[in-house]
Amino acid sequence: MALSSGADRGSHSMDKSITLPPDEIFRNLENAKRFAIDIGGSLTKLAYYSTVQHKVAKVRSFDHSAKVSVQETEGDPLYEISVQEEITARLHFIKFENAYIETCLDFIKDHLVNTETKVIKATGGGAHKFKDLIEKKLKLKVDKEDEMTCLIKGCNFVLKNIPHEAFVYAKHADSEFRFQNTHPDIFPYLLINIGSGVSIVKVEAEDKFERIGGSSIGGGTFWGLGALLTKTKRFDELLQLASKGQHTNVDMLVKDIYGGAYGSLGLTGDLIASSFGKSATTDKEFSKEDMAKSLLHMISNDIGQLACLYAKLHNLTRVYFGGFFIRGHPVTMHTITYSINFFTKGEVQALFLRHEGYLGAIGAFLKGAEEDNPNQYSWGENYAGSSGLMSVSPELNPVQRARSGTFPFDMLEMDRLERQLVNLPLLQDPTSYIPDTVDLTEDVLAREYWLYCFEEALDGVVKRAIASQKDQPKAVERAEKFRQKYRHKLQTLRHQPFAYGSLTVRSLLDTREHCLNEFNFPDPYSKIKQKENDMALKYYLKVVKSVEELSWEQRQFTLVKGLLAGNVFDWGAKAVSDVLESDPEFGFEQAKLQLQERPWLVDAYNQWIERLKGPPHKCALFFVDNSGIDIILGVFPFIRELLIRGTEVVLASNSGPALNDVTNSELQILTERIAAMDPVIHTALKEDRLALVQNGSSSPCLDLSRLDKVLATVVRERGTDLVIIEGMGRAIHTNYYAMLSCESLKLAVIKNSWLAERLGGKIFSVVFKYEVPSNIREIKS
């Protein structure tokens, strides 16, 4: 690993076969505040905390208080945009081989400028072995932490903060990995840690766990016996042999004893009756590969049966496997999975973790950071600074796999989020909620299309990023770096679609936002949003007055049609952005003409109108989408009608920018301006019947299991009985199948031809989905 990237990076070097530059591996070291280290038998895992300075887009309202009328402010911009520096916390996790520990420690020492602590937390079997070396190199005191405590702390942390952390391994399925959605309550679970031996730990709460069992037959047994049988001393080489072996040449099967199955006992013919049984009765030499495979099955089956017995004894269905024996190796994951499925008849799943190798390092870091209490915050994986899960197929990347197991250059970065994120209280069943409509790891056609689509859109995003900062130094250079980074991510996902968990349109969008932020483009659409907001406000009163002149039935349809027409104005949709770029005169009325005529692609409008003839809803939660015409001419007239009916309204908007979505800070300014024109909105704000709350997200999509805790509190306190979700990102790519415990309205205009055709429609087809939970229908009937 060439650690020198130029004169400013020192002269230390490592194995030249690894070419990642140091700033892609050890990032933000100059701001590092605290370290922890987990040293195993062959790999060292490093965790460190740093602060990252990055640019954020801020908006500030101009003071129009001296103006006497709306007309007098027409020539003035509504608000000013500024880009400011902000400091956020980031956690970094990297792995390197113990063979290079001295060089890595030298490099870390050379780049630690502002270390605040004189103690480094350490865990793992090698913490004692390398204690003197670490203290000498880093001039820090080593404080050793209990390995199992660190392991549990790390496991809790990743399960709570990284969606799609856990996965089921299915060797023969189209997708090797089936990722599990984050469970709202991760406890209780069973952790089977397979190192030299096996430890079985029941985890019931954050700091409540108990070692309830174990075995001396574990990874060390496989390694030791394997070395005796095959004369192969390296663990990874032993697994490689096993992957090529045929265990039936060595093991005695049921059919070898009975000539077939043993039906009365429910035993199939190909079941292992005796591990290594043929070696006692067959006078021949057995291959190293066959013996390694037989040994692997023997150890895995023993561990699997033990895990099942403890899971049943303690009534647990979530069983996670980790430790040196697993390390993401396909052969061990497959044999463990087979064993669990056999002994529990599918009632218990063997679960593995994407970042299993970092659990100890994370736990050690958390032990040393208790005064900051990282657990009081929510954290999110930073895709721009994380390497992905690599292919576990043994025939792929054999050199890399021999060097570092499954995860060469394995890096994880996590950013501290400004808010605690929780479930929307109105989810019908949080345990089964899946935000994304399509899993691209399994849908090959959809994956190929969307990867192509995002790559094709890349030039436009780069152009927009440069235009948003045309006066800023090195904007073109930074935009080019963004292009290269995001394209590399897309190429990785084309070959390894499971790299960051389930691949979805949401994750592709979020990765793009992370990469934009990485190169200090916090809000490429800020000036477009400002211009469109200014323009739309001029037409607000005209739209409201035209609606007020209509009959009740006409008014409701016009408001819905306006809401849909507003949603056409989405710069994230290439078909729309092309129109908006080429025809600046394209406006609200033209958008209405583009809409599909009724009956719509999904059309529950008649049911919605019947519902409106009944009593008003108590409170409506509206997840809004785009700036400009969408929010001002589409959403506000619609919620104005709800307010007049007597329904309270909560507008939930993004905490941070994404595409041209309206942010909470922008929405505050827009609402004040509209309230100055419209007595209905003014009174609703004054009486607190209209509330603006941020949703905790900076994504064009919506994960209802990760929302701002304040929003969840507001929803609960106001007795919300209607949820409205608007837009392709929030209501089609995500939440289309979300089941809520109250009435819901999901609406969007399909602005992508491929997606429209797949859904059975054409571009600008309308989805208007009104849903009432069965328990509410029963009460009403």
Side-chain angles (χ1 to χ4, degrees), residues 32 107 156 208 243 280 310 348 382 386 414 427 479 489 723 758:
F107 182 81
N156 293 342
K208 186 181 179 184
S243 71
Y310 276 102
V348 175
N382 174 26
S386 298
M414 298 183 71
L427 282 174
K489 293 285 181 186
V723 173
R758 192 169 229 232

Side-chain angles (χ1 to χ4, degrees), residues 624-686:
V624 298
D625 193 4
N626 306 304
S627 284
I629 289 176
D630 189 354
I631 185 70
I632 296 168
L633 304 186
V635 172
F636 264 97
F638 184 87
I639 63 139
R640 185 180 187 272
E641 181 77 6
L642 292 178
L643 290 165
I644 291 170
R645 277 174 55 81
T647 300
E648 292 183 15
V649 175
V650 176
L651 293 181
S653 53
N654 270 14
S655 299
L659 296 173
N660 65 313
D661 293 358
V662 65
T663 64
N664 184 258
S665 55
E666 291 161 354
L667 187 55
Q668 298 279 352
I669 295 170
L670 294 177
T671 306
E672 287 173 14
R673 184 65 179 275
I674 291 171
M677 295 188 276
D678 187 344
V680 173
I681 301 299
H682 175 79
T683 303
L685 275 177
K686 186 178 177 182

Side-chain angles (χ1 to χ4, degrees), residues 426-493:
L426 298 171
L427 282 174
Q428 199 170 91
D429 179 13
T431 62
S432 63
Y433 169 69
I434 297 173
D436 303 287
T437 307
V438 178
D439 185 344
L440 303 182
T441 52
E442 297 181 0
D443 191 327
V444 178
L445 285 176
R447 178 170 78 239
E448 288 176 357
Y449 171 76
W450 286 112
L451 285 170
Y452 162 78
C453 191
F454 276 87
E455 193 153 13
E456 189 186 35
L458 193 48
D459 286 345
V461 178
V462 169
K463 178 183 170 185
R464 185 62 51 203
I466 295 170
S468 72
Q469 296 184 12
K470 54 188 174 186
D471 301 326
Q472 294 291 319
K474 299 186 176 179
V476 174
E477 182 184 327
R478 286 186 285 113
E480 190 54 40
K481 286 182 178 178
F482 154 73
R483 183 206 303 273
Q484 292 171 9
K485 182 126 189 176
Y486 188 56
R487 179 170 284 152
H488 174 71
K489 293 285 181 186
L490 292 175
Q491 289 168 350
T492 299
L493 291 166

Side-chain angles (χ1 to χ4, degrees), residues 539-597:
Y539 296 97
Y540 175 75
L541 285 178
K542 182 182 176 183
V543 169
V544 166
K545 285 175 182 174
S546 67
V547 168
E548 286 179 333
E549 294 170 357
L550 302 172
S551 67
W552 186 86
E553 290 269 3
Q554 289 176 316
R555 189 162 73 247
Q556 304 316 310
F557 185 70
T558 301
L559 287 168
V560 166
K561 195 170 180 181
L563 192 56
L564 293 165
N567 195 243
V568 168
F569 293 83
D570 181 357
W571 283 84
K574 191 173 185 301
V576 176
S577 63
D578 287 347
V579 170
L580 297 176
E581 291 269 19
S582 60
D583 183 8
E585 300 302 313
F586 185 85
F588 192 44
E589 295 305 317
Q590 289 91 331
K592 287 181 183 177
L593 297 174
Q594 297 293 329
L595 294 177
Q596 176 191 17
E597 293 291 328

Side-chain angles (χ1 to χ4, degrees), residues 288-458:
K288 292 180 180 181
E289 290 82 359
D290 293 347
M291 288 190 291
K293 188 63 170 282
S294 175
L295 182 61
L296 182 66
H297 274 295
M298 184 178 80
I299 304 291
S300 297
N301 287 340
D302 187 65
I303 293 170
Q305 186 169 32
L306 202 59
C308 293
L309 291 171
Y310 276 102
K312 287 187 174 182
L313 185 63
H314 293 269
N315 198 27
L316 296 171
T317 56
R318 275 177 283 178
V319 182
Y320 299 102
F321 289 84
F324 182 81
F325 184 70
I326 302 293
R327 278 198 304 146
H329 279 289
V331 192
T332 52
M333 290 194 298
H334 175 63
T335 51
I336 288 286
T337 298
Y338 179 87
S339 174
I340 290 287
N341 287 341
F342 176 80
F343 288 116
T344 69
K345 294 181 171 57
E347 292 177 9
V348 175
Q349 286 185 317
L351 295 168
F352 306 96
L353 301 171
R354 282 172 55 208
H355 300 103
E356 180 274 325
Y358 284 128
L359 302 187
I362 293 171
F365 174 82
L366 294 174
K367 287 288 286 182
E370 285 170 348
E371 65 269 28
D372 291 340
N373 190 10
N375 274 316
Q376 72 181 329
Y377 303 101
S378 289
W379 298 77
E381 183 174 3
N382 174 26
Y383 296 130
S386 298
S387 62
L389 192 66
M390 300 297 287
S391 172
V392 298
S393 300
E395 62 274 11
L396 295 179
N397 304 321
V399 175
Q400 289 180 334
R401 288 186 52 77
R403 287 186 47 78
S404 303
T406 305
F407 314 120
F409 319 131
D410 186 19
M411 298 169 290
L412 167 65
E413 284 186 4
M414 298 183 71
D415 289 330
R416 192 175 78 190
L417 307 178
E418 291 182 28
R419 289 158 189 84
Q420 268 195 290
L421 303 183
V422 298
N423 280 299
L424 177 69
L426 298 171
L427 282 174
Q428 199 170 91
D429 179 13
T431 62
S432 63
Y433 169 69
I434 297 173
D436 303 287
T437 307
V438 178
D439 185 344
L440 303 182
T441 52
E442 297 181 0
D443 191 327
V444 178
L445 285 176
R447 178 170 78 239
E448 288 176 357
Y449 171 76
W450 286 112
L451 285 170
Y452 162 78
C453 191
F454 276 87
E455 193 153 13
E456 189 186 35
L458 193 48

